[in-house]
Amino acid sequence: MVKYLSKPFLMGATFLAILPMALPVKAEYLPEQRPGLCKNKVMYRYNTDISDVQITMKNITGEKIYWLVQSTGRTGHCIFDRSHNVIRLVVDNQEQNLPATGAIYWNSQSNQWIAPDGGVCHSCTPENGFPTPPQMMNEFFYLPNEKLWYDADGHLCSSCTPQNGFPIK
């Protein structure tokens, strides 16, 4: 006597055959891909472009890849797992942590221009239109090249006009 398989059993077998293909697979990278993975992670974290991030390697098979964001001088290293995935991005503590506002602003306590990521802006020089120190008025600063006033967080002040007492030279 021949037994026939019931329809629910066939549906379950089809589901079990598809299930292994639907499970996520953790990517494994080669050691040679570590510098690029680290650079991508730094670019994403500090919202900067690829030419601003410099990678230095002391040992390609080692656990760490060292990086430098040239515009801010911020340094650190990437730590990887055995599958060569970036586990963590470590920032060196050689400079004070200032708030990241997404804009360039003048920090009056440190007398330095601060980059959008909160690091010191090393390209914010008088030659590039960032006077040191800038003209200040009630926590607002003036950029003469742009002829605009900005608030303490580096955002454009739309009400800072000559009619409101903010001279534009």
Side-chain angles (χ1 to χ4, degrees):
M1 182 167 168
V2 177
K3 288 190 176 182
Y4 294 98
L5 297 175
S6 67
K7 202 170 199 176
F9 176 77
L10 289 175
M11 289 174 53
T14 305
F15 175 73
L16 290 176
I18 294 174
L19 183 63
M21 294 186 303
L23 295 176
V25 177
K26 188 174 180 181
E28 289 195 25
Y29 298 99
L30 299 172
E32 296 83 22
Q33 293 174 291
R34 287 180 173 198
L37 296 169
C38 183
K39 189 174 228 181
N40 289 341
K41 190 82 163 177
V42 173
M43 286 171 28
Y44 179 75
R45 158 99 49 97
Y46 295 112
N47 193 23
T48 187
D49 57 53
I50 195 166
S51 63
D52 195 26
V53 180
Q54 179 182 354
I55 298 292
T56 56
M57 299 176 291
K58 295 190 177 174
N59 182 358
I60 197 165
T61 59
E63 190 176 274
K64 299 176 185 177
I65 300 284
Y66 295 88
W67 53 266
L68 161 72
V69 178
Q70 294 175 0
S71 63
T72 63
R74 181 166 283 169
T75 60
H77 60 273
C78 295
I79 298 179
F80 295 86
D81 63 8
R82 292 181 187 190
S83 299
H84 311 294
N85 292 303
V86 178
I87 297 174
R88 195 168 25 142
L89 195 66
V90 178
V91 180
D92 294 341
N93 290 328
Q94 79 254 15
E95 62 184 45
Q96 59 184 334
N97 276 338
L98 295 168
T101 63
I104 296 173
Y105 66 96
W106 176 258
N107 184 291
S108 56
Q109 283 85 22
S110 65
N111 283 337
Q112 292 178 323
W113 289 101
I114 307 303
D117 70 355
V120 175
C121 181
H122 295 289
S123 62
C124 298
T125 62
E127 295 84 25
N128 293 332
F130 296 92
T132 305
Q135 180 182 349
M136 300 286 294
M137 183 181 290
N138 299 335
E139 297 296 318
F140 293 91
F141 63 88
Y142 179 73
L143 291 180
N145 283 9
E146 298 178 18
K147 296 184 176 164
L148 296 171
W149 286 91
Y150 293 86
D151 66 11
D153 290 331
H155 298 104
L156 180 63
C157 176
S158 58
S159 63
C160 298
T161 61
Q163 294 82 7
N164 293 333
F166 291 89
I168 295 179
K169 297 178 182 176

